Amino acid sequence: MARSIIVVGAGPAGLAAAMQAEGQGARVTLVDEGQRPGGQIYRQGPPALGREDIAGAAELRRKHKLLEAFERARVRIDYRPNTSAFALFGPRDIHVASGDQTQVLSADGVILASGVREVAVPFPGWTTPGVMYAGGAQSLIKSQRTLPGRNVVVAGCGPLPIVVAAQILRAGGKIAAFAPLHSLTAGVGNLTGLWHGRGVVLEGLRYLATVMKSGVARLTGFVPIRARGIDRLESVVLARLDAAGAVEKGSEREIACDALVINYGFAANSELAALAGARMRHEELIGGWLPEVDDFGRTSVEGVFVAGDMAGLRGALVAETEGCLVGAAAAASPEIFAKRSFEQSWHKELTHRRRLCEFQKVVRAMLDRPRALWAIADDDTMICRCENVNLGHLRFAFSAGHLAPNTIKRSTRAAMGWCGGRTCLPMIAALAELHAKASPFAMMTPRPLARPVPLSALANQTKG
């Protein structure tokens, strides 16, 4: 009898996993919050807007190849867009919400490919309208053909700020300043990694060339320390970090703008894996709290698999290759998977993924965040926007000995709001380490509603 597989997430990893599992004879259900497949990296706009041209040619080729393959397989897959997976129990009973109803789906295997979200480093004024994540700005451009502002400052670390700055320019926008935290040559000493990722490096250089040719002011080593404006963003103050990672006095520059686009790394959307009881580990630069997995995405919970960036930030190329591996493993019966011949049959893909992961060491060097960066926030800086908890509230909790995420949540209400801690949890952990010398504790206990769901939908539940 064919195995039943549920895949959560329709980015590169989820799409590849769904198609591979279906190709192996499994009955596949694919649920995704998006209206169209592709995830963040391959986000699609409404058909009426046509195909975008702000991405690099190689990325567009990969995108259309994957999406066209999925369109051919789609008739054989139970694809459910606009659907949120908000709980995982049983361990393979997954609760999903769509519109005004919820449903409990059960399967032989669950593949979690929910990707990552961006990490915010708080500073005074960072909640001012007009300050946004780089991924949010990219989504506006890709899905709505809308610029984040008329005069934009782009700041942060890693490759995403470079890509988004170039895409804003290609879409006809203006960049007031580009402030990469690290030198653009960070990681170039890793020749092996650069070689394995040479295709992506060339794409990155083309994005960088777009930024450099525009004549944009480049402020390497500068970070936003204050956003100014009342009803909307009016300017941002940037300052240089010294060798110790602290703000260099006298280096401040105030730049007029109506949008500030920032990125300081990513955190994995790993709540469903934690809800299922999977063993977790903490690696700050590649996603924070991550489920422990083997080469085929198996977690410590039988039948629960993880693919893509949710298992550790490694990019779209790794995600797609890994999706194939995990999809095949989930679709295989336990008897077939246990045979050594199964792993040998995937030797080429395993080797390819291993080489691509070497390149991610280069990216990791660009994502390094100095610990002192978290010291820019003052006591009035908001940390948990849902519950209006500022740094002063957190520091009081730290002084009382409340250092673990769960105890901080109980004593301050931080992470009890709409986002369930997805935004503030990485900040709380970093601030506890900075101000109270507390090493990262166990992940905050995830709530069964890992995504917001209307009460009316919860009251209208069916069994799949």
Side-chain angles (χ1 to χ4, degrees), residues 363-375:
V363 176
R364 205 170 301 178
M366 299 175 67
L367 285 169
D368 184 47
R369 295 188 295 262
R371 185 58 51 195
L373 191 63
W374 299 94

Side-chain angles (χ1 to χ4, degrees), residues 96-435:
V96 301
S98 180
D100 62 353
Q101 68 176 18
T102 57
Q103 191 174 20
V104 182
L105 306 176
S106 298
D108 296 313
V110 173
I111 300 174
L112 303 175
S114 305
V116 293
R117 57 188 179 270
E118 291 179 80
V119 169
V121 175
F123 55 90
W126 75 284
T127 59
T128 304
V131 180
M132 67 182 71
Y133 292 127
Q138 190 180 56
S139 295
L140 283 174
I141 298 171
K142 286 184 174 182
S143 62
Q144 301 297 326
R145 309 297 189 265
T146 300
L147 289 166
R150 296 182 298 275
N151 195 32
V152 185
V153 172
V154 179
C157 57
L160 185 57
I162 300 172
V163 173
V164 173
Q167 290 175 338
I168 290 172
L169 290 166
R170 292 177 183 181
K174 178 184 177 183
I175 302 293
F178 174 55
L181 177 57
H182 300 298
S183 167
L184 300 177
T185 60
V188 297
N190 185 345
L191 297 180
T192 301
L194 288 171
W195 174 252
H196 288 313
R198 56 193 180 278
V200 178
V201 172
L202 288 174
E203 292 178 45
L205 290 174
R206 294 187 184 102
Y207 281 122
L208 181 59
T210 298
V211 177
M212 302 298 285
K213 288 178 182 178
S214 70
V216 168
R218 180 160 56 94
L219 303 173
T220 301
F222 280 71
V223 297
I225 63 168
R226 183 172 296 277
R228 289 183 170 147
I230 300 175
D231 296 324
R232 61 179 178 82
L233 183 67
E234 298 174 6
S235 67
V236 59
V237 179
L238 300 172
R240 183 187 290 113
L241 297 186
D242 61 22
V247 172
E248 185 178 301
K249 292 184 178 180
S251 65
E252 296 87 353
R253 297 191 188 186
E254 185 169 359
I255 298 174
C257 60
D258 63 352
L260 170 62
V261 171
I262 54 175
N263 175 266
Y264 284 106
F266 303 87
N269 293 318
S270 55
E271 292 81 13
L272 290 178
L275 270 174
R279 283 196 302 269
M280 309 292 286
R281 72 186 199 279
H282 187 270
E283 292 192 41
E284 183 179 5
L285 291 184
I286 62 170
W289 283 276
L290 306 167
E292 295 181 3
V293 297
D294 65 9
D295 284 345
F296 286 92
R298 291 188 302 174
T299 69
S300 59
V301 179
E302 184 180 356
V304 177
F305 299 75
V306 171
D309 285 345
M310 187 178 154
L313 182 68
R314 292 160 298 173
L317 294 180
V318 172
E320 187 172 342
T321 299
E322 188 164 88
C324 291
L325 291 166
V326 175
S333 66
E335 296 78 18
I336 292 176
F337 184 83
K339 295 180 179 178
R340 182 167 177 78
S341 58
F342 182 86
E343 181 174 344
Q344 292 173 337
S345 67
W346 291 97
H347 174 75
K348 180 180 178 180
E349 288 77 10
L350 289 165
T351 301
H352 181 59
R353 182 182 60 181
R354 186 164 53 251
R355 288 172 177 168
L356 289 173
C357 286
E358 282 295 316
F359 171 64
Q360 294 309 310
K361 295 178 182 178
V362 178
V363 176
R364 205 170 301 178
M366 299 175 67
L367 285 169
D368 184 47
R369 295 188 295 262
R371 185 58 51 195
L373 191 63
W374 299 94
I376 296 173
D378 58 24
D379 279 353
D380 293 326
T381 302
M382 196 62 61
I383 305 301
C384 173
R385 290 183 285 185
C386 297
E387 296 295 326
N388 291 318
V389 179
N390 61 29
L391 178 56
H393 295 134
L394 290 180
R395 282 164 56 87
F396 182 79
F398 298 157
S399 68
H402 302 157
L403 302 177
N406 278 339
T407 58
I408 293 169
K409 178 180 178 180
R410 287 192 290 267
S411 62
T412 68
R413 294 190 60 84
M416 284 191 179
W418 186 258
C419 83
R422 289 188 297 277
T423 298
C424 60
L425 177 57
M427 290 189 280
I428 290 170
L431 291 167
E433 185 174 357
L434 175 72
H435 292 286

